[in-house]
Amino acid sequence: MIYVTDYDSPLGEIYIATDEEGLIGLWIEGQEHFAKLLDDFEDEILRVDSSTLFKDNSIPGTVNDILRMTKEWLDVYFTGSEPDFTPPIHMIGTDFRKSVWKILLEIPYGKTITYGEIARILVSDSDAGAADDGNRNGDGGGNGDGDDKVTDVSRSGDPKDNSSRYPQNNTIKMPKRNKPGKRMSAQAVGGAVGHNPISIIIPCHRVIGANGNLTGYAGGIDKKIWLLELERTALASR
C-alpha cells in the first residue's frame, strides 16, 4: 500500500508518498513528472488527510513515523536550517537512476555539483568494482574541462542575474574516487536527475550544468534558484 499526503510549503503544495519501507516520492505541485511514479500503484494508493495524519489508527505506525519525519525535515529546511537527519528513503527506479540519486544524497548542503562530475563518479565506481574504499585515491576524476567541480554556492554573485550561473570557484571535493579511464554521458545523468521522485530531500536542485549554468529542474528554474538561495543565505548567516 502507498500512503500519500500533502504539505504546505513556501514553494506551494508538496505531495508526499511513502510505503512501509520509506519515503518513495516528494513532488512540488505542477512540477514535471508530477507523481508519475504512482501510475504503477493506481489501485494501492490511500490518501491520508494531513489534518488527521497522526490520529488515524488504520495507518501503520511505520508509515506515521516516516511521514512525521518527512514533515519535520521540511519544517527545518524551510526555516533556513540544515536538517541533521533524513527520513527513511525507499528508492524505486532502475539501478542506474538509483545510483545517480545516491550520489545526489552525498552533495553537501549549500554546495553544487555538475552533471559531468556525477558521470565521472559513476564511471569511477564502476571501474573500482568491489575494490576497497582504501583504493579510491583519485582527486574526483576531473579532466580540466570546467565541468568537474563541486561548487560552494555561499559566495558573492546573484543567481538571479541574466546569466543564471554559479561561477565555478571556491570549490570543495566530493568523497575520493578513482580517476576513470572511460566516460559516461552527462545527458544520461541528466535524465536520471530529472526523474528524481524525491525532490529537495534528494537534492537534485544542487546539480548544475557546465561552467555553472543553472540548467533544467523539474520543479522549474525559479524554484531551483529559490532553493539554492535559501541554502546560500543559511550558510552565510552561520
Side-chain angles (χ1 to χ4, degrees):
M1 183 67 70
I2 306 298
Y3 302 83
V4 300
T5 191
D6 52 61
Y7 177 90
D8 188 21
S9 84
L11 296 178
E13 187 172 59
I14 286 178
Y15 196 63
I16 301 169
T18 184
D19 58 15
E20 291 192 59
E21 186 173 337
L23 182 68
I24 66 169
L26 193 152
W27 302 273
I28 302 169
E29 185 175 23
Q31 77 171 66
E32 191 175 358
H33 311 304
F34 178 81
K36 185 173 178 59
L37 171 68
L38 300 185
D39 291 348
D40 295 332
F41 300 95
E42 190 174 357
D43 299 325
E44 304 174 48
I45 297 174
L46 177 64
R47 176 79 184 194
V48 181
D49 189 317
S50 58
S51 64
T52 60
L53 180 59
F54 308 120
K55 303 174 184 177
D56 189 342
N57 293 329
S58 67
I59 301 174
T62 52
V63 171
N64 263 328
D65 290 341
I66 294 165
L67 291 176
R68 181 183 292 107
M69 287 182 69
T70 300
K71 292 196 170 193
E72 287 177 357
W73 192 99
L74 292 170
D75 286 344
V76 172
Y77 182 85
F78 283 120
T79 58
S81 299
E82 179 183 3
D84 60 1
F85 64 95
T86 302
I89 290 175
H90 178 196
M91 296 180 183
I92 297 178
T94 65
D95 288 344
F96 174 73
R97 287 183 177 179
K98 286 190 285 187
S99 67
V100 172
W101 301 337
K102 288 174 183 177
I103 291 172
L104 299 186
L105 281 170
E106 295 183 25
I107 308 172
Y109 182 89
K111 312 295 181 182
T112 59
I113 188 174
T114 65
Y115 296 94
E117 174 63 6
I118 293 174
R120 281 185 283 276
I121 290 172
L122 288 168
V123 171
S124 177
D125 284 351
S126 175
D127 287 346
D132 235 309
D133 283 345
N135 292 327
R136 297 185 178 183
N137 54 12
D139 60 2
N143 60 8
D145 63 3
D147 190 20
D148 60 1
K149 299 176 181 177
V150 181
T151 304
D152 185 346
V153 302
S154 77
R155 64 170 102 69
S156 60
D158 184 358
K160 296 180 181 178
D161 66 14
N162 291 333
S163 67
S164 294
R165 292 185 175 188
Y166 279 86
Q168 291 280 335
N169 56 22
N170 294 335
T171 61
I172 64 168
K173 298 292 185 182
M174 286 291 281
K176 292 182 178 180
R177 313 276 179 170
N178 281 334
K179 182 175 269 189
K182 55 188 176 181
R183 298 180 65 85
M184 176 179 292
S185 166
Q187 285 73 26
V189 170
V193 172
H195 284 83
N196 167 33
I198 305 177
S199 299
I200 307 177
I201 292 179
I202 296 181
C204 51
H205 61 278
R206 296 176 191 158
V207 184
I208 60 177
N211 300 317
N213 293 307
L214 291 181
T215 56
Y217 181 59
I221 293 295
D222 59 330
K223 292 182 175 64
K224 182 169 187 167
I225 291 173
W226 192 96
L227 291 166
L228 291 174
E229 283 281 16
L230 176 69
E231 295 179 9
R232 185 176 75 167
T233 301
L235 286 179
S237 66
R238 289 181 180 176

